[in-house]
């Protein structure tokens, strides 16, 4: 137990220290803009998705350490090229006579000079092709998916070989699997129908949890802080809930038993609206909590370089360290809440009539 505590301490300390160094490299530049603006830009860059996977960079030397990713566009045909053509947004990419520029993490069609036109609201008015690119968030999800596949494959193999006794990483996974089954799935769905939902509940719990933990590392991954990702997860819950619901579920929505007819007419639209509000709350809760955690933590780290004294610096570092420990709890808590509410909605959709 003590060894695990020491390991966790070292990991958290490494994250805060590495993030501090990254801020230092970005902010310690002479005559290149206000420090607060640079810190805000660094936070924005951390939160946004990108077309390359940059581990860290040195803008003074003009060097970036990472690897490019494939850019896949549909613009009067399929256009596939490497994101290295953008040179981290500093260059215009030419593909078969067409020119594209990376502007605020989005790809716009432009001319050879990379001109970006604006409307009256100062929004880019250039044509934006349909973007199917393999971005940093997509790579992160693929890595987590592969990790989960091999971990659970190993757990299943150890069960077969050792008479249902897990070995290796399976000893870590088995208590969590049993927890999701015994404390989430069965109490909320019921013993008769919980099995058909277990695969999804296990997948979504570990998927969100591992992505949240990956977002705690200094490599700048913020998958669950992307509202498109949380929307997709909530949409899957919405589809599973309503496609597997029984007639009692729909009866309680459109024609509630034991309620006067007039009230049924009044309540039916409200209940129907609740069908869409439930997955919407899942989407917003996960997105807002993870984004807020990243913003607060990175802002506190940035305060170290704003104070620049022996009082404010250590206080900011200590606060960032304490918040990092709290974020580890939040990473697991948000995965648990999303899984718990999903199981609750599945149980409501399969609830039998009471007589």
């Amino acid at each position: 137990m003590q060894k695990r505590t020491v390991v966790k301490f070292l990991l958290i300390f490494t994250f805060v220290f590495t993030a501090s160094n990254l801020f230092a490299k970005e902010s310690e530049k002479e005559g290149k803009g206000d420090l607060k603006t640079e810190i805000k830009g660094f936070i924005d860059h951390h939160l946004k998705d990108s077309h390359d996977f940059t581990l860290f960079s040195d803008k003074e030397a003009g060097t970036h350490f990472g690897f490019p990713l494939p850019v896949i566009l549909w613009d009067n045909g399929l256009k596939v090229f490497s994101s290295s053509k953008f040179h981290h947004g500093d260059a215009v990419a030419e593909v078969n006579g067409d020119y594209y520029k990376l502007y605020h993490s989005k790809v716009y069609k432009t001319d050879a000079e990379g001109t970006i036109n604006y409307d009256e609201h100062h929004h880019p008015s250039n044509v934006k092709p349909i973007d199917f690119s393999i971005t940093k968030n997509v790579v992160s999800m693929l890595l987590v998916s592969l990790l989960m596949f091999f971990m659970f494959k190993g757990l299943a193999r150890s069960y077969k070989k050792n008479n249902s006794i897990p070995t290796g990483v399976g000893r870590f996974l088995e208590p969590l699997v049993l927890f999701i089954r015994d404390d989430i799935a069965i109490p909320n769905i019921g013993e008769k129908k919980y099995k058909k939902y277990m695969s999804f509940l296990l997948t979504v719990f570990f998927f969100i949890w591992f992505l949240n933990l990956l977002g705690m590392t200094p490599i700048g991954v913020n998958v669950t802080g992307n509202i498109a990702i949380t929307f997709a997860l909530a949409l899957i819950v919405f589809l599973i809930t309503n496609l597997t619901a029984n007639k009692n579920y729909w009866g309680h929505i459109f024609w509630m038993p034991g309620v006067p007819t007039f009230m049924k007419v009044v309540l039916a639209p409200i209940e129907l609206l609740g069908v869409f509000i439930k997955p919407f709350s899942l989407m917003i809760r996960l997105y807002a909590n993870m984004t807020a955690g990243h913003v607060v933590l990175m802002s506190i780290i940035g305060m170290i370089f704003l104070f620049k004294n022996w009082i404010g610096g250590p206080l900011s570092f200590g606060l960032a360290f304490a918040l990092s420990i709290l974020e580890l709890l939040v990473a697991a808590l948000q995965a648990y809440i999303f899984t718990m509410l999903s199981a609750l909605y599945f149980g409501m959709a399969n609830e039998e009539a009471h007589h």
Side-chain angles (χ1 to χ4, degrees), residues 23 35 39 43 296-309 312-317 319:
F23 266 124
L35 181 59
I39 292 175
I43 296 174
V296 172
L297 179 58
M298 303 298 281
S299 299
I300 292 175
I301 294 175
M303 288 170 62
I304 297 174
F305 307 99
L306 291 175
F307 285 119
K308 292 183 178 179
N309 58 55
L315 286 176
S316 299
F317 183 86
L319 185 59

Side-chain angles (χ1 to χ4, degrees), residues 60 105-106 113 119 135 188 200 212 225 235 273 302 306 313-314 319:
E60 290 184 353
S105 302
K106 296 181 180 179
E113 288 74 30
D119 57 19
T135 61
N188 290 286
F200 174 78
N212 289 347
L235 179 62
L273 185 62
L306 291 175
L319 185 59

Side-chain angles (χ1 to χ4, degrees), residues 58-166:
D58 187 347
K59 289 188 176 181
E60 290 184 353
T63 56
H64 302 271
F65 299 90
F67 52 89
L69 298 172
V71 179
I72 306 172
L73 305 176
W74 183 266
D75 181 31
N76 296 324
L78 192 64
K79 307 290 177 64
V80 181
F81 57 95
S82 173
S83 63
S84 60
K85 285 193 172 185
F86 290 126
H87 292 282
H88 304 278
D90 297 329
V92 177
E94 189 274 327
V95 183
N96 299 329
D98 293 320
Y99 298 92
Y100 302 96
K101 183 176 178 60
L102 199 60
Y103 184 75
H104 291 308
S105 302
K106 296 181 180 179
V107 180
Y108 293 92
K109 194 171 184 179
T110 181
D111 52 25
E113 288 74 30
T115 304
I116 298 294
N117 301 311
Y118 301 92
D119 57 19
E120 61 274 10
H121 302 290
H122 201 68
H123 296 151
S125 59
N126 295 52
V127 175
K128 187 166 64 174
I130 301 176
D131 194 348
F132 298 101
S133 303
I134 307 298
T135 61
K136 180 172 64 176
N137 283 351
V138 175
V139 172
S140 302
M141 288 188 289
L142 291 174
L143 290 176
V144 168
S145 300
L146 288 174
L147 175 64
M148 291 172 55
F149 174 78
F150 287 112
M151 289 177 66
F152 281 102
K153 185 178 180 181
L155 175 61
R157 189 185 299 113
S158 67
Y159 262 71
K160 290 182 180 179
K161 289 183 178 180
N162 301 288
N163 297 321
S164 299
I165 299 176

Side-chain angles (χ1 to χ4, degrees), residues 34-321:
D34 182 69
L35 181 59
K36 293 182 180 179
T37 304
E38 293 177 9
I39 292 175
K40 183 179 182 300
F42 188 90
I43 296 174
D44 291 340
H45 178 74
H46 173 79
L47 295 176
K48 291 180 179 178
D49 197 4
S50 64
H51 287 76
D52 54 33
F53 211 116
T54 303
L55 301 177
F56 58 93
S57 59
D58 187 347
K59 289 188 176 181
E60 290 184 353
T63 56
H64 302 271
F65 299 90
F67 52 89
L69 298 172
V71 179
I72 306 172
L73 305 176
W74 183 266
D75 181 31
N76 296 324
L78 192 64
K79 307 290 177 64
V80 181
F81 57 95
S82 173
S83 63
S84 60
K85 285 193 172 185
F86 290 126
H87 292 282
H88 304 278
D90 297 329
V92 177
E94 189 274 327
V95 183
N96 299 329
D98 293 320
Y99 298 92
Y100 302 96
K101 183 176 178 60
L102 199 60
Y103 184 75
H104 291 308
S105 302
K106 296 181 180 179
V107 180
Y108 293 92
K109 194 171 184 179
T110 181
D111 52 25
E113 288 74 30
T115 304
I116 298 294
N117 301 311
Y118 301 92
D119 57 19
E120 61 274 10
H121 302 290
H122 201 68
H123 296 151
S125 59
N126 295 52
V127 175
K128 187 166 64 174
I130 301 176
D131 194 348
F132 298 101
S133 303
I134 307 298
T135 61
K136 180 172 64 176
N137 283 351
V138 175
V139 172
S140 302
M141 288 188 289
L142 291 174
L143 290 176
V144 168
S145 300
L146 288 174
L147 175 64
M148 291 172 55
F149 174 78
F150 287 112
M151 289 177 66
F152 281 102
K153 185 178 180 181
L155 175 61
R157 189 185 299 113
S158 67
Y159 262 71
K160 290 182 180 179
K161 289 183 178 180
N162 301 288
N163 297 321
S164 299
I165 299 176
T167 58
V169 71
R171 295 179 180 178
F172 165 76
L173 293 175
E174 185 189 39
L176 296 173
V177 172
L178 295 178
F179 170 75
I180 294 172
R181 185 193 68 182
D182 298 336
D183 294 310
I184 296 180
I186 294 178
N188 290 286
I189 303 174
E191 293 190 14
K192 293 182 179 180
K193 297 185 178 181
Y194 82 92
K195 289 185 178 179
K196 66 179 181 180
Y197 298 104
M198 272 298 293
S199 298
F200 174 78
L201 294 176
L202 287 172
T203 301
V204 77
F205 174 81
F206 286 100
F207 185 73
I208 294 175
W209 186 31
F210 288 168
L211 284 175
N212 289 347
L213 291 178
L214 188 62
M216 288 292 297
T217 61
I219 60 177
V221 175
N222 183 39
V223 179
T224 49
N226 187 319
I227 198 167
I229 305 301
T230 59
F231 169 78
L233 292 173
L235 179 62
I236 295 173
V237 174
F238 171 79
L239 293 175
I240 294 176
T241 301
N242 293 284
L243 293 178
T244 62
N246 57 26
K247 61 180 182 180
N248 297 309
Y249 172 76
W250 296 110
H252 279 78
I253 291 176
F254 293 106
W255 208 250
M256 288 72 64
V259 177
T261 303
F262 172 74
M263 291 303 299
K264 290 180 180 179
V265 176
V266 174
L267 292 176
I270 300 175
E271 291 291 330
L272 181 60
L273 185 62
V275 173
F276 299 95
I277 292 177
K278 291 172 184 175
F280 179 79
S281 66
L282 285 178
M283 174 187 72
I284 295 299
R285 181 182 291 105
L286 180 59
Y287 162 74
N289 280 282
M290 299 313 301
T291 300
H294 284 274
V295 171
V296 172
L297 179 58
M298 303 298 281
S299 299
I300 292 175
I301 294 175
M303 288 170 62
I304 297 174
F305 307 99
L306 291 175
F307 285 119
K308 292 183 178 179
N309 58 55
W310 65 276
I311 298 178
L315 286 176
S316 299
F317 183 86
L319 185 59
F321 182 79

